[in-house]
Amino acid sequence: MSATDIQAVFARQVFDSRGRPTVEAEVSLAGGASGRASAPSGASRGAAEAFELRDSDPDRFEGRGVSRAVAAVNGEIGALLTGRDALAQRGADQAMRDLDGTAQLSRLGGNAILAVSIALARAGAAATGQPLFRRLADLAGVSGPAMPMPMVNILSGGLHAGRGMDVQDFLVIPVGANSYTQALEWVLRVRAAAAALCQEAGLTTLLADEGGLSPGFADGAEALTLMVRAFERAGLRPGEDAAIALDIAASSLTDAEGRYVFQRAGRTLDSGAMIALLAEWTTRFPIISIEDGLGEEDWSAWPELTRHLGHIQLIGDDLFATQADRIARGVREGAGNAALIKINQNGTLSGTLDALEAARAGGFATVISARSGETEDPFIADLAVGVAGGQIKIGSVRTSERMAKYNQLLRLEEEGLPFAGSGFIRR
Ligand code: PGA
Ligand code: ZN
């Protein structure tokens, strides 16, 4: 046996930031190195993402238990991987996919497979004595790791805030910042200013699922106005120091006819009207990025959105679901110009790296993203740096499952890695 051979694979059920069960896996190697990782979980999930295997036992955790996924790791997956070389990440990821045998990893669970895949990468880094971000850079074939620009949730709606607002995320991008540390400081100022503005207006300052505020505006333009006022109050110039990003999460607004229902605003829009609304907001406010401006089924309208608004960043999240083939289709059809990258949408680390490569090859920007349900695992911070993903979306600057990642980026910044500012944002 060599030191990097996998000796044991183990999983347990732990709980995420919404108090829901998730899978935590550990991989230990013959030489004593080991790695641990846990799977995040989304609320506004795309239909094409890897399957989250849950127990569906209504008497336990509202059906959300993961004992079957845990059992898959402790049984079949462990048996498959034991004795294999931990440094052969791609081979192990492919073997887990083959063992599962389904397109969306629904038999063993994308949550089970992802947790093992990430734990394996950590064990591999530990065995080689590399920092995780360097190991990930090697696996991705990236020669220049770099600090990402954060896009940070300030106001929340949609499924993360009881549909208190129609649009899911109003985010700040501190475009004028010269370093990650400065970017984070500016974001903290904007977040504090937004809370103060809400408080003064008698609006709630309770936290949504990603730590954002949800003042419950019926009209998206009111939320956008508050964003601009928060920038000003934070001493930042709107559009120059700080710009706005939106995640419409349009798939979760879609009705049976494929139209978009803005419940709070009392309007239902077809694709053309949605594009017109987003174009209007973009003229009135310093918006430089829009995610899921149309739904995951609306492939035919995405090129039209891109023709109208392609001068800003147009990100596909549910649309691409971190699948290389869907991103390649987006590139071919001119659907958007950037891809959100979520490890658990894909299900393996290697598949996630393939999705990143598909985006890069097509000239699309990438944004490494957390989920609304997270754990204290800071993996995506190392991933964003290692693959030079350019941008990162973690949620608001509140609650430790988010701060664990922001803080890990502070540690990585000490490595002297370059920060390209807004240079990676597609415009
Ligand atoms: P989710 O939302 O993690 O709840 O799916 C995040 C997003 O839509 O970007
Ligand atoms: Zn999204």
Side-chain angles (χ1 to χ4, degrees):
M1 253 204 179
S2 106
T4 57
D5 283 353
I6 298 169
Q7 192 168 53
V9 181
F10 175 75
R12 64 174 68 82
Q13 176 170 286
V14 295
F15 298 90
D16 71 13
S17 54
R18 278 190 282 247
R20 294 178 184 166
T22 192
V23 181
E24 178 172 271
E26 294 183 357
V27 172
S28 33
L29 311 187
S34 66
R36 175 195 291 159
S38 50
S41 173
S44 66
R45 285 200 295 272
E49 7 185 315
F51 186 78
E52 249 181 27
L53 183 63
R54 297 200 177 268
D55 297 341
S56 305
D57 172 356
D59 294 334
R60 301 197 68 200
F61 309 112
E62 301 166 295
R64 294 195 177 99
V66 292
S67 66
R68 288 195 292 151
V70 164
V73 176
N74 291 333
E76 281 186 70
I77 295 174
L80 172 80
L81 296 184
T82 304
R84 293 179 77 107
D85 183 3
L87 299 185
Q89 177 83 37
R90 187 165 283 277
D93 285 343
Q94 189 57 49
M96 287 193 282
R97 266 190 201 283
D98 294 344
L99 178 69
D100 179 274
T102 70
Q104 284 181 279
L105 307 180
S106 52
R107 191 176 76 81
L108 301 170
N111 43 354
I113 291 172
L114 178 78
V116 172
S117 179
I118 303 301
L120 185 62
R122 278 218 173 87
T128 57
Q130 281 177 301
L132 180 60
F133 80 93
R134 294 255 177 235
R135 169 87 185 130
L136 295 171
D138 284 357
L139 287 171
V142 167
S143 56
M147 297 302 297
M149 172 62 86
M151 64 164 68
V152 181
N153 177 295
I154 301 295
L155 307 179
S156 287
L159 295 174
H160 300 163
R163 292 199 187 271
M165 298 196 290
D166 295 315
V167 170
Q168 183 180 281
D169 292 342
F170 296 84
L171 310 100
V172 58
I173 306 182
V175 285
N178 293 319
S179 67
Y180 169 72
T181 290
Q182 187 174 48
L184 188 57
E185 185 178 340
W186 287 8
V187 165
L188 286 158
R189 259 156 54 187
V190 170
R191 177 64 173 70
L197 289 167
C198 285
Q199 195 166 24
E200 286 164 18
L203 300 163
T204 176
T205 53
L206 295 177
L207 302 187
D209 282 3
E210 295 191 354
L213 298 155
S214 192
F217 293 121
D219 180 357
E222 286 185 78
L224 289 162
T225 302
L226 187 137
M227 290 291 292
V228 172
R229 289 180 56 210
F231 295 171
E232 288 165 350
R233 179 134 173 181
L236 301 171
R237 293 166 302 172
E240 287 166 65
D241 299 324
I244 298 174
L246 296 175
D247 182 359
I248 308 296
S251 303
S252 50
L253 301 174
T254 309
D255 70 9
E257 280 92 60
R259 293 172 312 175
Y260 302 104
V261 182
F262 283 64
Q263 233 173 60
R264 293 282 287 121
R267 304 169 65 182
T268 297
L269 310 178
D270 63 16
S271 307
M274 176 72 111
I275 293 169
L277 175 68
L278 298 178
E280 188 215 314
W281 281 352
T282 303
T283 340
R284 287 173 59 195
F285 300 97
I287 297 169
I288 63 164
S289 179
I290 300 177
E291 177 179 334
D292 281 356
L294 294 170
E296 63 194 350
E297 308 288 350
D298 211 352
W299 279 96
S300 63
W302 267 89
E304 194 191 331
L305 171 72
T306 312
R307 275 194 299 278
H308 276 78
L309 281 172
H311 57 287
I312 66 168
Q313 179 167 265
L314 299 171
I315 309 171
D317 169 13
D318 293 348
L319 182 72
F320 300 140
T322 316
Q323 312 287 332
D325 57 341
R326 294 178 73 93
I327 294 171
R329 177 176 174 192
V331 169
R332 272 197 318 275
E333 298 182 8
N337 55 31
L340 206 74
I341 301 291
K342 291 168 164 171
I343 49 177
N344 78 321
Q345 279 184 332
N346 186 279
T348 67
L349 173 59
S350 304
T352 302
L353 299 181
D354 292 343
L356 274 158
E357 184 47 39
R360 221 165 250 160
F364 275 31
T366 56
V367 182
I368 312 299
S369 173
R371 301 309 301 254
S372 51
E374 274 292 332
T375 71
E376 61 276 23
D377 189 331
F379 179 80
I380 62 163
D382 290 83
L383 179 68
V385 169
V387 304
Q391 301 169 74
I392 193 165
K393 180 185 182 216
I394 302 173
S396 207
V397 277
R398 286 292 185 283
T399 65
S400 287
E401 80 282 1
R402 317 277 151 201
M403 298 318 299
K405 285 96 166 154
Y406 289 115
N407 290 339
Q408 174 66 2
L409 288 169
L410 287 172
R411 293 178 204 112
L412 295 176
E413 190 181 38
E414 292 167 7
E415 306 278 334
L417 302 165
F419 175 71
S422 60
F424 284 106
I425 303 170
R426 180 61 196 264
R427 273 191 277 183

PDB file of all heavy atoms in Angstrom, residues 168 247 291-292 317 340 342 393, ligand 2:
ATOM      1  N   GLN A 168     -35.051  37.434  -6.071  1.00  0.00           N
ATOM      2  CA  GLN A 168     -34.404  36.661  -4.997  1.00  0.00           C
ATOM      3  C   GLN A 168     -33.235  37.398  -4.341  1.00  0.00           C
ATOM      4  O   GLN A 168     -33.127  37.408  -3.113  1.00  0.00           O
ATOM      5  CB  GLN A 168     -33.928  35.324  -5.550  1.00  0.00           C
ATOM      6  CG  GLN A 168     -33.305  34.410  -4.503  1.00  0.00           C
ATOM      7  CD  GLN A 168     -32.848  33.095  -5.103  1.00  0.00           C
ATOM      8  OE1 GLN A 168     -33.659  32.204  -5.343  1.00  0.00           O
ATOM      9  NE2 GLN A 168     -31.566  32.973  -5.359  1.00  0.00           N
ATOM     10  N   ASP A 247     -30.045  38.585  -8.781  1.00  0.00           N
ATOM     11  CA  ASP A 247     -30.398  37.211  -9.134  1.00  0.00           C
ATOM     12  C   ASP A 247     -31.919  37.160  -9.137  1.00  0.00           C
ATOM     13  O   ASP A 247     -32.548  37.171  -8.072  1.00  0.00           O
ATOM     14  CB  ASP A 247     -29.808  36.205  -8.143  1.00  0.00           C
ATOM     15  CG  ASP A 247     -30.141  34.762  -8.528  1.00  0.00           C
ATOM     16  OD1 ASP A 247     -30.838  34.569  -9.555  1.00  0.00           O
ATOM     17  OD2 ASP A 247     -29.721  33.832  -7.804  1.00  0.00           O
ATOM     18  N   GLU A 291     -28.461  37.528 -12.953  1.00  0.00           N
ATOM     19  CA  GLU A 291     -28.459  36.059 -12.965  1.00  0.00           C
ATOM     20  C   GLU A 291     -29.884  35.546 -13.161  1.00  0.00           C
ATOM     21  O   GLU A 291     -30.829  36.108 -12.588  1.00  0.00           O
ATOM     22  CB  GLU A 291     -27.905  35.590 -11.611  1.00  0.00           C
ATOM     23  CG  GLU A 291     -27.883  34.095 -11.393  1.00  0.00           C
ATOM     24  CD  GLU A 291     -27.291  33.755 -10.017  1.00  0.00           C
ATOM     25  OE1 GLU A 291     -26.486  34.553  -9.487  1.00  0.00           O
ATOM     26  OE2 GLU A 291     -27.644  32.698  -9.472  1.00  0.00           O
ATOM     27  N   ASP A 292     -30.016  34.475 -13.922  1.00  0.00           N
ATOM     28  CA  ASP A 292     -31.326  33.851 -14.172  1.00  0.00           C
ATOM     29  C   ASP A 292     -32.417  34.894 -14.416  1.00  0.00           C
ATOM     30  O   ASP A 292     -33.484  34.856 -13.792  1.00  0.00           O
ATOM     31  CB  ASP A 292     -31.709  32.898 -13.023  1.00  0.00           C
ATOM     32  CG  ASP A 292     -30.983  31.552 -13.131  1.00  0.00           C
ATOM     33  OD1 ASP A 292     -30.252  31.324 -14.130  1.00  0.00           O
ATOM     34  OD2 ASP A 292     -31.146  30.710 -12.221  1.00  0.00           O
ATOM     35  N   ASP A 317     -27.755  30.243 -13.961  1.00  0.00           N
ATOM     36  CA  ASP A 317     -27.587  29.413 -12.762  1.00  0.00           C
ATOM     37  C   ASP A 317     -28.413  28.143 -12.972  1.00  0.00           C
ATOM     38  O   ASP A 317     -27.884  27.119 -13.404  1.00  0.00           O
ATOM     39  CB  ASP A 317     -28.030  30.213 -11.538  1.00  0.00           C
ATOM     40  CG  ASP A 317     -28.149  29.365 -10.275  1.00  0.00           C
ATOM     41  OD1 ASP A 317     -27.674  28.222 -10.263  1.00  0.00           O
ATOM     42  OD2 ASP A 317     -28.720  29.856  -9.263  1.00  0.00           O
ATOM     43  N   LEU A 340     -22.891  30.463 -13.445  1.00  0.00           N
ATOM     44  CA  LEU A 340     -22.732  30.250 -12.019  1.00  0.00           C
ATOM     45  C   LEU A 340     -22.208  28.823 -11.841  1.00  0.00           C
ATOM     46  O   LEU A 340     -22.626  27.907 -12.550  1.00  0.00           O
ATOM     47  CB  LEU A 340     -24.075  30.419 -11.299  1.00  0.00           C
ATOM     48  CG  LEU A 340     -23.941  30.841  -9.840  1.00  0.00           C
ATOM     49  CD1 LEU A 340     -23.530  32.309  -9.765  1.00  0.00           C
ATOM     50  CD2 LEU A 340     -25.231  30.630  -9.060  1.00  0.00           C
ATOM     51  N   LYS A 342     -21.779  25.882  -9.092  1.00  0.00           N
ATOM     52  CA  LYS A 342     -22.113  25.362  -7.767  1.00  0.00           C
ATOM     53  C   LYS A 342     -21.724  23.886  -7.735  1.00  0.00           C
ATOM     54  O   LYS A 342     -22.240  23.092  -8.527  1.00  0.00           O
ATOM     55  CB  LYS A 342     -23.616  25.486  -7.520  1.00  0.00           C
ATOM     56  CG  LYS A 342     -24.137  26.917  -7.356  1.00  0.00           C
ATOM     57  CD  LYS A 342     -25.661  26.913  -7.427  1.00  0.00           C
ATOM     58  CE  LYS A 342     -26.277  28.197  -6.886  1.00  0.00           C
ATOM     59  NZ  LYS A 342     -27.733  28.243  -7.172  1.00  0.00           N
ATOM     60  N   LYS A 393     -19.782  34.193  -5.029  1.00  0.00           N
ATOM     61  CA  LYS A 393     -21.090  34.588  -4.483  1.00  0.00           C
ATOM     62  C   LYS A 393     -21.389  33.659  -3.320  1.00  0.00           C
ATOM     63  O   LYS A 393     -21.598  32.455  -3.514  1.00  0.00           O
ATOM     64  CB  LYS A 393     -22.138  34.440  -5.588  1.00  0.00           C
ATOM     65  CG  LYS A 393     -23.553  34.814  -5.199  1.00  0.00           C
ATOM     66  CD  LYS A 393     -24.520  34.511  -6.350  1.00  0.00           C
ATOM     67  CE  LYS A 393     -25.936  34.911  -6.005  1.00  0.00           C
ATOM     68  NZ  LYS A 393     -26.922  33.953  -6.573  1.00  0.00           N
TER      69      LYS A 393
HETATM   70 ZN    ZN B   2     -29.326  31.856  -8.624  1.00  0.00          ZN
END
